């Protein structure tokens, strides 16, 4: 089934699914290829948060404030959003590999810059490159998993693509936290290991059995991603829950180490990395736990989890309670995981493969715009009025948005009753 085989083949698009035919009939892609197709998503998302426990080292060596830290994080969002404007549309027209391979090369470049960073500018560039690579994998990479799975296994594809994203996002800070404590040259060793992961992802993409796209249509390749007519409500419902969820986890990633330092008086990179890992491990596990529930139930539970996360965040910063802060992080992970699974499942059920990467881009743009603006604002507000007040304002605002998202899902119950 690899595209490198010399056997003649033709690609036939059947409804919303694609099959590759080899002369005598269709060849079924083995189930293990679906898991392997998700590896590039995991590898790039390991990079996306690997720097989180290391910022305390860079702050010590370079010297910058919490506000500057959130700006460095925001450049990741800038790169991601810029990538989403292009990668989804280009992937649907030219294929997944022409988007994924350059993204992996850029991720390797980001590793090199992180490993040698000695200024804020270097960190900004590395985060920008990382964001561009992540934008490519959340559109083309997740769509590739669906392509490999085919129409008959679209539910499994949505689950594995979503879990690959959140598991990688959690594994990155854990590995970085542990390795930076036990290995020499902590800001170098982490990214050397990650570069090896990315190289294996390159091999996986090259060998991936992805159907060739149909003849590209005209139109601009740089545009605001969208969905086909009639699928707008599925996109809206997904964003309504996914956006507050990923904003909550983004806050924990960007300011979690500062909160731990304030509450515990510690700058342990293992503790910071472990909290982020536990958050995303929860996001992974909860998706397997709820996969057979209706989409409406999954989305409603995601909104409720994000709401409770912000309540516990406010309690944590006012009581200086580390256990409550950890509970807030775990609830945030559950909220993102369920919002992400519900949103991807809705899109997989309503959008044909020819537009799926663009639809994935639209969902993630809706989430990451909020995830970029609010944590940065909270960082600068915390510099001005203190971390406790800044986190309180952030928590109250995001809690309101999560409640609104839950209400949007409840008002559209007929659209979300099918199982994920």
């Amino acid at each position: 089934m690899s595209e490198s085989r010399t056997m003649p083949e033709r690609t036939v698009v059947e409804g919303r699914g694609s099959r590759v035919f080899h002369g005598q009939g269709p060849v079924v892609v083995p189930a293990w290829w679906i898991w392997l197709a998700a590896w590039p998503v995991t590898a790039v998302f390991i990079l996306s948060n690997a720097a989180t426990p290391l910022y305390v080292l860079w702050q010590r060596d370079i010297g910058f404030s919490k506000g500057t830290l959130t700006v460095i994080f925001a450049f990741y969002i800038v790169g991601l959003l810029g990538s989403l404007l292009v990668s989804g549309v280009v992937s649907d027209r030219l294929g997944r590999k022409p988007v994924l391979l350059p993204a992996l090369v850029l991720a390797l470049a980001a590793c090199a810059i992180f490993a040698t960073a000695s200024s804020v500018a270097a960190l900004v560039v590395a985060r920008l490159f990382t964001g561009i690579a992540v934008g490519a994998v959340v559109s083309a990479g997740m769509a590739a998993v669906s392509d490999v799975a085919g129409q008959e296994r679209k539910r499994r594809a949505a689950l594995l693509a979503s879990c690959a994203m959140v598991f990688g996002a959690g594994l990155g800070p854990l590995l970085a936290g542990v390795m930076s404590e036990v290995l020499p040259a902590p800001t170098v060793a982490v990214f050397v290991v990650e570069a090896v992961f990315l190289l294996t992802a390159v091999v996986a993409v090259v060998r991936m059995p992805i159907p060739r796209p149909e003849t590209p249509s005209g139109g601009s390749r740089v545009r605001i991603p969208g969905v086909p007519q009639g699928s707008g409500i599925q996109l809206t419902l997904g964003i309504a829950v996914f956006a507050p969820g990923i904003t909550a986890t983004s806050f924990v990633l960007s300011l979690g180490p500062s909160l731990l330092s304030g509450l515990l008086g510690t700058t342990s990179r293992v503790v910071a990395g472990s909290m982020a890992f536990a958050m995303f491990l929860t996001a992974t596990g909860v998706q397997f736990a709820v996969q057979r529930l209706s989409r409406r139930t999954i989305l409603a539970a995601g909104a409720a989890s994000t709401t409770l996360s912000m309540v516990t965040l406010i309690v944590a910063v006012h009581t200086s309670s580390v256990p409550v802060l950890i509970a807030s992080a775990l609830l945030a992970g559950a909220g993102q995981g369920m919002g992400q699974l519900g949103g991807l499942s809705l899109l997989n059920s309503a959008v044909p493969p020819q537009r799926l990467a663009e639809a994935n881009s639209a969902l993630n743009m809706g989430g990451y715009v909020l995830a970029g603006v609010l944590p940065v604002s909270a960082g600068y507000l915390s510099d001005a009025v203190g971390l406790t007040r800044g986190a309180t304002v952030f928590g109250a605002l995001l809690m309101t948005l999560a409640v609104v998202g839950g209400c949007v899902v409840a008002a559209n119950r007929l659209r979300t009753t099918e199982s994920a």
Side-chain angles (χ1 to χ4, degrees):
M1 282 298 299
S2 167
E3 288 187 359
S4 64
R5 294 185 182 180
T6 58
M7 187 179 299
E9 68 179 14
R10 60 187 177 89
T11 300
V12 178
V13 178
E14 299 179 334
R16 289 193 302 232
S18 298
R19 294 172 180 263
V20 178
F21 285 76
H22 289 292
Q24 298 180 352
V27 179
V28 178
V29 176
W32 57 265
W33 252 118
I34 307 175
W35 291 83
L36 192 57
W39 170 241
V41 178
T42 301
V44 172
F45 268 93
I46 290 174
L47 174 64
S48 71
N49 294 329
T52 297
L54 306 178
Y55 285 126
V56 291
L57 296 177
W58 285 314
Q59 280 184 296
R60 181 196 66 195
D61 297 338
I62 300 173
F64 50 85
S65 67
K66 291 187 289 293
T68 301
L69 175 58
T70 55
V71 169
I72 294 171
F73 183 85
F75 267 89
Y76 164 81
I77 305 294
V78 171
L80 189 151
L81 293 177
S83 177
L84 290 174
L85 289 173
V86 179
S87 58
V89 177
V90 172
S91 173
D92 285 335
R93 294 181 181 179
L94 301 183
R96 313 307 183 202
K97 295 183 182 182
V99 173
L100 290 175
L101 291 175
L104 290 170
V105 171
L106 205 59
L108 286 165
C111 285
I113 297 172
F114 271 130
T116 58
S118 59
S119 66
V120 170
L123 295 176
V124 165
V125 172
R127 288 297 284 171
L128 182 67
F129 284 4
T130 302
I132 295 172
V134 168
V137 299
V138 298
S139 53
M142 289 185 167
V145 179
S146 296
D147 289 347
V148 171
Q151 176 70 7
E152 298 81 3
R153 296 178 290 196
K154 63 181 181 180
R155 288 177 57 187
R156 185 188 301 181
L159 176 64
L160 290 183
S162 184
C163 288
M165 172 179 170
V166 293
F167 182 72
L171 187 59
L174 177 66
L175 290 176
V178 172
M179 287 191 295
S180 67
E181 292 281 7
V182 301
L183 297 177
T187 58
V188 176
V190 170
F191 296 105
V192 170
V193 173
E194 168 58 9
V196 174
F197 291 160
L198 291 169
L199 289 173
T200 63
V202 170
V203 175
V205 170
V206 169
R207 300 290 299 170
M208 199 177 294
I210 306 175
R212 296 187 181 94
E214 295 181 295
T215 302
S217 58
S220 173
R221 292 180 182 174
V222 180
R223 68 183 189 217
I224 301 297
V227 293
Q229 186 174 3
S231 303
I233 185 62
Q234 286 86 355
L235 177 62
T236 300
L237 291 170
I239 291 175
V241 180
F242 175 57
I246 198 169
T247 302
T249 57
S250 295
F251 177 84
V252 173
L253 288 171
S254 59
L255 290 179
S258 296
L259 286 170
L260 283 173
S261 177
L263 296 177
L264 278 179
T266 178
T267 57
S268 170
R269 299 183 292 281
V270 174
V271 172
S274 297
M275 185 173 73
F277 176 72
M279 177 174 69
F280 285 113
L281 185 63
T282 301
T284 304
V286 75
Q287 293 181 68
F288 281 98
V290 305
Q291 60 176 307
R292 297 195 179 279
L293 300 179
S294 71
R295 298 185 183 106
R296 176 175 179 263
T297 301
I298 293 172
L299 289 170
S305 186
T306 301
T307 301
L308 290 174
S309 172
M310 293 301 98
V311 172
T312 52
L313 172 66
I314 293 171
V315 172
V317 297
H318 282 275
T319 61
S320 298
S321 172
V322 173
V324 178
L325 178 63
I326 293 173
S328 175
L330 298 181
L331 286 166
Q336 178 186 333
M338 288 186 281
Q340 185 172 296
L341 176 61
L344 286 174
S345 297
L346 284 172
L347 294 179
N348 273 13
S349 69
V351 178
Q354 302 94 313
R355 295 287 301 277
L356 188 56
E358 183 181 355
N360 288 343
S361 294
L363 175 67
N364 282 278
M365 281 197 73
Y368 277 106
V369 166
L370 188 66
V373 172
L374 286 190
V376 170
S377 301
Y380 276 106
L381 183 62
S382 297
D383 283 338
V385 302
L387 196 53
T388 298
R389 290 182 180 178
T392 299
V393 172
F394 171 87
L397 179 56
L398 193 60
M399 178 176 61
T400 302
L401 293 175
V403 170
V404 170
C407 292
V408 170
V409 171
N412 289 272
R413 64 178 64 189
L414 295 180
R415 302 277 188 165
T416 54
T417 53
E418 299 88 350
S419 64

